PDB file of all heavy atoms in Angstrom:
ATOM      1  N   VAL A 224       0.483 -27.557  25.685  1.00  0.00           N
ATOM      2  CA  VAL A 224       0.970 -28.649  24.863  1.00  0.00           C
ATOM      3  C   VAL A 224       2.324 -29.139  25.369  1.00  0.00           C
ATOM      4  O   VAL A 224       2.548 -30.333  25.543  1.00  0.00           O
ATOM      5  CB  VAL A 224       1.091 -28.212  23.384  1.00  0.00           C
ATOM      6  CG1 VAL A 224       1.730 -29.318  22.543  1.00  0.00           C
ATOM      7  CG2 VAL A 224      -0.276 -27.838  22.829  1.00  0.00           C
ATOM      8  N   LEU A 237       1.163 -23.387  23.888  1.00  0.00           N
ATOM      9  CA  LEU A 237      -0.266 -23.655  24.024  1.00  0.00           C
ATOM     10  C   LEU A 237      -0.857 -24.217  22.730  1.00  0.00           C
ATOM     11  O   LEU A 237      -0.257 -24.110  21.658  1.00  0.00           O
ATOM     12  CB  LEU A 237      -1.009 -22.371  24.420  1.00  0.00           C
ATOM     13  CG  LEU A 237      -0.487 -21.676  25.691  1.00  0.00           C
ATOM     14  CD1 LEU A 237      -1.371 -20.484  26.028  1.00  0.00           C
ATOM     15  CD2 LEU A 237      -0.404 -22.645  26.865  1.00  0.00           C
ATOM     16  N   ALA A 238      -2.043 -24.776  22.840  1.00  0.00           N
ATOM     17  CA  ALA A 238      -2.674 -25.436  21.701  1.00  0.00           C
ATOM     18  C   ALA A 238      -2.983 -24.475  20.564  1.00  0.00           C
ATOM     19  O   ALA A 238      -3.005 -24.872  19.398  1.00  0.00           O
ATOM     20  CB  ALA A 238      -3.960 -26.134  22.163  1.00  0.00           C
ATOM     21  N   ASP A 239      -3.253 -23.205  20.867  1.00  0.00           N
ATOM     22  CA  ASP A 239      -3.572 -22.245  19.809  1.00  0.00           C
ATOM     23  C   ASP A 239      -2.335 -21.662  19.146  1.00  0.00           C
ATOM     24  O   ASP A 239      -2.430 -20.752  18.320  1.00  0.00           O
ATOM     25  CB  ASP A 239      -4.454 -21.116  20.362  1.00  0.00           C
ATOM     26  CG  ASP A 239      -3.759 -20.322  21.465  1.00  0.00           C
ATOM     27  OD1 ASP A 239      -2.586 -20.621  21.769  1.00  0.00           O
ATOM     28  OD2 ASP A 239      -4.404 -19.413  22.024  1.00  0.00           O
ATOM     29  N   ARG A 274      -2.809 -34.974  25.569  1.00  0.00           N
ATOM     30  CA  ARG A 274      -2.879 -34.575  24.165  1.00  0.00           C
ATOM     31  C   ARG A 274      -2.162 -35.553  23.240  1.00  0.00           C
ATOM     32  O   ARG A 274      -2.077 -35.310  22.032  1.00  0.00           O
ATOM     33  CB  ARG A 274      -2.293 -33.173  23.984  1.00  0.00           C
ATOM     34  CG  ARG A 274      -3.167 -32.089  24.571  1.00  0.00           C
ATOM     35  CD  ARG A 274      -2.687 -30.713  24.200  1.00  0.00           C
ATOM     36  NE  ARG A 274      -3.734 -29.733  24.452  1.00  0.00           N
ATOM     37  CZ  ARG A 274      -4.679 -29.396  23.583  1.00  0.00           C
ATOM     38  NH1 ARG A 274      -4.701 -29.953  22.390  1.00  0.00           N
ATOM     39  NH2 ARG A 274      -5.594 -28.514  23.885  1.00  0.00           N
ATOM     40  N   VAL A 275      -1.637 -36.649  23.788  1.00  0.00           N
ATOM     41  CA  VAL A 275      -0.912 -37.617  22.984  1.00  0.00           C
ATOM     42  C   VAL A 275      -1.882 -38.546  22.268  1.00  0.00           C
ATOM     43  O   VAL A 275      -2.775 -39.136  22.881  1.00  0.00           O
ATOM     44  CB  VAL A 275       0.052 -38.429  23.868  1.00  0.00           C
ATOM     45  CG1 VAL A 275       0.720 -39.540  23.053  1.00  0.00           C
ATOM     46  CG2 VAL A 275       1.108 -37.519  24.478  1.00  0.00           C
ATOM     47  N   THR A 276      -1.716 -38.672  20.952  1.00  0.00           N
ATOM     48  CA  THR A 276      -2.541 -39.597  20.168  1.00  0.00           C
ATOM     49  C   THR A 276      -1.739 -40.783  19.647  1.00  0.00           C
ATOM     50  O   THR A 276      -2.314 -41.748  19.139  1.00  0.00           O
ATOM     51  CB  THR A 276      -3.176 -38.869  18.964  1.00  0.00           C
ATOM     52  OG1 THR A 276      -2.137 -38.328  18.137  1.00  0.00           O
ATOM     53  CG2 THR A 276      -4.082 -37.745  19.446  1.00  0.00           C
ATOM     54  N   GLY A 277      -0.430 -40.709  19.758  1.00  0.00           N
ATOM     55  CA  GLY A 277       0.401 -41.812  19.300  1.00  0.00           C
ATOM     56  C   GLY A 277       1.823 -41.685  19.808  1.00  0.00           C
ATOM     57  O   GLY A 277       2.276 -40.598  20.162  1.00  0.00           O
ATOM     58  N   GLU A 279       5.793 -43.228  18.843  1.00  0.00           N
ATOM     59  CA  GLU A 279       6.670 -43.991  17.966  1.00  0.00           C
ATOM     60  C   GLU A 279       7.986 -44.253  18.696  1.00  0.00           C
ATOM     61  O   GLU A 279       8.692 -43.305  19.061  1.00  0.00           O
ATOM     62  CB  GLU A 279       6.936 -43.229  16.666  1.00  0.00           C
ATOM     63  CG  GLU A 279       5.697 -43.072  15.796  1.00  0.00           C
ATOM     64  CD  GLU A 279       6.015 -42.362  14.486  1.00  0.00           C
ATOM     65  OE1 GLU A 279       7.216 -42.043  14.264  1.00  0.00           O
ATOM     66  OE2 GLU A 279       5.083 -42.121  13.704  1.00  0.00           O
ATOM     67  N   GLU A 287       9.028 -40.715  20.094  1.00  0.00           N
ATOM     68  CA  GLU A 287       8.436 -39.487  19.584  1.00  0.00           C
ATOM     69  C   GLU A 287       6.946 -39.489  19.888  1.00  0.00           C
ATOM     70  O   GLU A 287       6.251 -40.465  19.584  1.00  0.00           O
ATOM     71  CB  GLU A 287       8.667 -39.372  18.076  1.00  0.00           C
ATOM     72  CG  GLU A 287       8.271 -38.033  17.503  1.00  0.00           C
ATOM     73  CD  GLU A 287       8.670 -37.897  16.048  1.00  0.00           C
ATOM     74  OE1 GLU A 287       8.170 -38.700  15.226  1.00  0.00           O
ATOM     75  OE2 GLU A 287       9.478 -37.012  15.729  1.00  0.00           O
ATOM     76  N   LEU A 288       6.483 -38.427  20.499  1.00  0.00           N
ATOM     77  CA  LEU A 288       5.066 -38.290  20.828  1.00  0.00           C
ATOM     78  C   LEU A 288       4.350 -37.555  19.708  1.00  0.00           C
ATOM     79  O   LEU A 288       4.828 -36.534  19.215  1.00  0.00           O
ATOM     80  CB  LEU A 288       4.896 -37.521  22.135  1.00  0.00           C
ATOM     81  CG  LEU A 288       5.517 -38.141  23.392  1.00  0.00           C
ATOM     82  CD1 LEU A 288       5.315 -37.216  24.581  1.00  0.00           C
ATOM     83  CD2 LEU A 288       4.928 -39.512  23.677  1.00  0.00           C
ATOM     84  N   ILE A 289       3.201 -38.084  19.300  1.00  0.00           N
ATOM     85  CA  ILE A 289       2.362 -37.435  18.298  1.00  0.00           C
ATOM     86  C   ILE A 289       1.167 -36.842  19.030  1.00  0.00           C
ATOM     87  O   ILE A 289       0.408 -37.557  19.705  1.00  0.00           O
ATOM     88  CB  ILE A 289       1.895 -38.439  17.241  1.00  0.00           C
ATOM     89  CG1 ILE A 289       3.107 -39.144  16.618  1.00  0.00           C
ATOM     90  CG2 ILE A 289       1.067 -37.729  16.165  1.00  0.00           C
ATOM     91  CD1 ILE A 289       2.741 -40.308  15.731  1.00  0.00           C
ATOM     92  N   LEU A 290       0.988 -35.527  18.947  1.00  0.00           N
ATOM     93  CA  LEU A 290      -0.056 -34.838  19.687  1.00  0.00           C
ATOM     94  C   LEU A 290      -1.268 -34.589  18.812  1.00  0.00           C
ATOM     95  O   LEU A 290      -1.204 -34.655  17.579  1.00  0.00           O
ATOM     96  CB  LEU A 290       0.488 -33.520  20.241  1.00  0.00           C
ATOM     97  CG  LEU A 290       1.780 -33.638  21.063  1.00  0.00           C
ATOM     98  CD1 LEU A 290       2.194 -32.276  21.586  1.00  0.00           C
ATOM     99  CD2 LEU A 290       1.617 -34.623  22.196  1.00  0.00           C
ATOM    100  N   ASN A 291      -2.390 -34.282  19.461  1.00  0.00           N
ATOM    101  CA  ASN A 291      -3.643 -34.122  18.726  1.00  0.00           C
ATOM    102  C   ASN A 291      -3.718 -32.847  17.894  1.00  0.00           C
ATOM    103  O   ASN A 291      -4.688 -32.630  17.173  1.00  0.00           O
ATOM    104  CB  ASN A 291      -4.843 -34.191  19.679  1.00  0.00           C
ATOM    105  CG  ASN A 291      -4.767 -33.151  20.782  1.00  0.00           C
ATOM    106  OD1 ASN A 291      -3.898 -32.283  20.766  1.00  0.00           O
ATOM    107  ND2 ASN A 291      -5.677 -33.258  21.740  1.00  0.00           N
ATOM    108  N   ASN A 292      -2.699 -31.995  17.994  1.00  0.00           N
ATOM    109  CA  ASN A 292      -2.650 -30.816  17.124  1.00  0.00           C
ATOM    110  C   ASN A 292      -1.667 -31.017  15.971  1.00  0.00           C
ATOM    111  O   ASN A 292      -1.347 -30.074  15.245  1.00  0.00           O
ATOM    112  CB  ASN A 292      -2.263 -29.578  17.930  1.00  0.00           C
ATOM    113  CG  ASN A 292      -0.857 -29.659  18.502  1.00  0.00           C
ATOM    114  OD1 ASN A 292      -0.238 -30.734  18.495  1.00  0.00           O
ATOM    115  ND2 ASN A 292      -0.344 -28.544  18.991  1.00  0.00           N
ATOM    116  N   GLY A 293      -1.165 -32.261  15.818  1.00  0.00           N
ATOM    117  CA  GLY A 293      -0.238 -32.574  14.748  1.00  0.00           C
ATOM    118  C   GLY A 293       1.217 -32.372  15.108  1.00  0.00           C
ATOM    119  O   GLY A 293       2.106 -32.747  14.346  1.00  0.00           O
ATOM    120  N   GLU A 294       1.476 -31.797  16.263  1.00  0.00           N
ATOM    121  CA  GLU A 294       2.852 -31.550  16.672  1.00  0.00           C
ATOM    122  C   GLU A 294       3.517 -32.839  17.124  1.00  0.00           C
ATOM    123  O   GLU A 294       2.874 -33.745  17.660  1.00  0.00           O
ATOM    124  CB  GLU A 294       2.876 -30.525  17.802  1.00  0.00           C
ATOM    125  CG  GLU A 294       4.265 -30.084  18.225  1.00  0.00           C
ATOM    126  CD  GLU A 294       4.225 -28.993  19.271  1.00  0.00           C
ATOM    127  OE1 GLU A 294       3.137 -28.451  19.544  1.00  0.00           O
ATOM    128  OE2 GLU A 294       5.304 -28.691  19.835  1.00  0.00           O
ATOM    129  N   ARG A 295       4.826 -32.923  16.884  1.00  0.00           N
ATOM    130  CA  ARG A 295       5.603 -34.076  17.328  1.00  0.00           C
ATOM    131  C   ARG A 295       6.668 -33.612  18.313  1.00  0.00           C
ATOM    132  O   ARG A 295       7.365 -32.629  18.052  1.00  0.00           O
ATOM    133  CB  ARG A 295       6.275 -34.776  16.137  1.00  0.00           C
ATOM    134  CG  ARG A 295       5.291 -35.538  15.246  1.00  0.00           C
ATOM    135  CD  ARG A 295       5.970 -36.061  13.996  1.00  0.00           C
ATOM    136  NE  ARG A 295       5.071 -36.900  13.233  1.00  0.00           N
ATOM    137  CZ  ARG A 295       5.050 -38.239  13.270  1.00  0.00           C
ATOM    138  NH1 ARG A 295       5.921 -38.866  14.054  1.00  0.00           N
ATOM    139  NH2 ARG A 295       4.193 -38.920  12.553  1.00  0.00           N
ATOM    140  N   LEU A 296       6.791 -34.330  19.419  1.00  0.00           N
ATOM    141  CA  LEU A 296       7.758 -33.990  20.451  1.00  0.00           C
ATOM    142  C   LEU A 296       8.708 -35.164  20.654  1.00  0.00           C
ATOM    143  O   LEU A 296       8.276 -36.311  20.781  1.00  0.00           O
ATOM    144  CB  LEU A 296       7.064 -33.659  21.774  1.00  0.00           C
ATOM    145  CG  LEU A 296       6.151 -32.432  21.801  1.00  0.00           C
ATOM    146  CD1 LEU A 296       5.528 -32.286  23.181  1.00  0.00           C
ATOM    147  CD2 LEU A 296       6.927 -31.177  21.436  1.00  0.00           C
ATOM    148  N   GLN A 297      10.001 -34.848  20.689  1.00  0.00           N
ATOM    149  CA  GLN A 297      10.999 -35.883  20.910  1.00  0.00           C
ATOM    150  C   GLN A 297      11.082 -36.235  22.393  1.00  0.00           C
ATOM    151  O   GLN A 297      11.089 -35.351  23.248  1.00  0.00           O
ATOM    152  CB  GLN A 297      12.369 -35.407  20.413  1.00  0.00           C
ATOM    153  CG  GLN A 297      12.434 -35.139  18.913  1.00  0.00           C
ATOM    154  CD  GLN A 297      12.183 -36.391  18.093  1.00  0.00           C
ATOM    155  OE1 GLN A 297      12.638 -37.483  18.457  1.00  0.00           O
ATOM    156  NE2 GLN A 297      11.468 -36.238  16.991  1.00  0.00           N
TER     157      GLN A 297
END
Side-chain angles (χ1 to χ4, degrees):
V224 175
L237 305 184
D239 62 2
R274 289 189 164 272
V275 175
T276 59
E279 293 182 2
E287 189 173 62
L288 299 177
I289 305 171
L290 307 182
N291 57 8
N292 65 348
E294 186 176 350
R295 288 173 174 262
L296 296 179
Q297 297 297 321

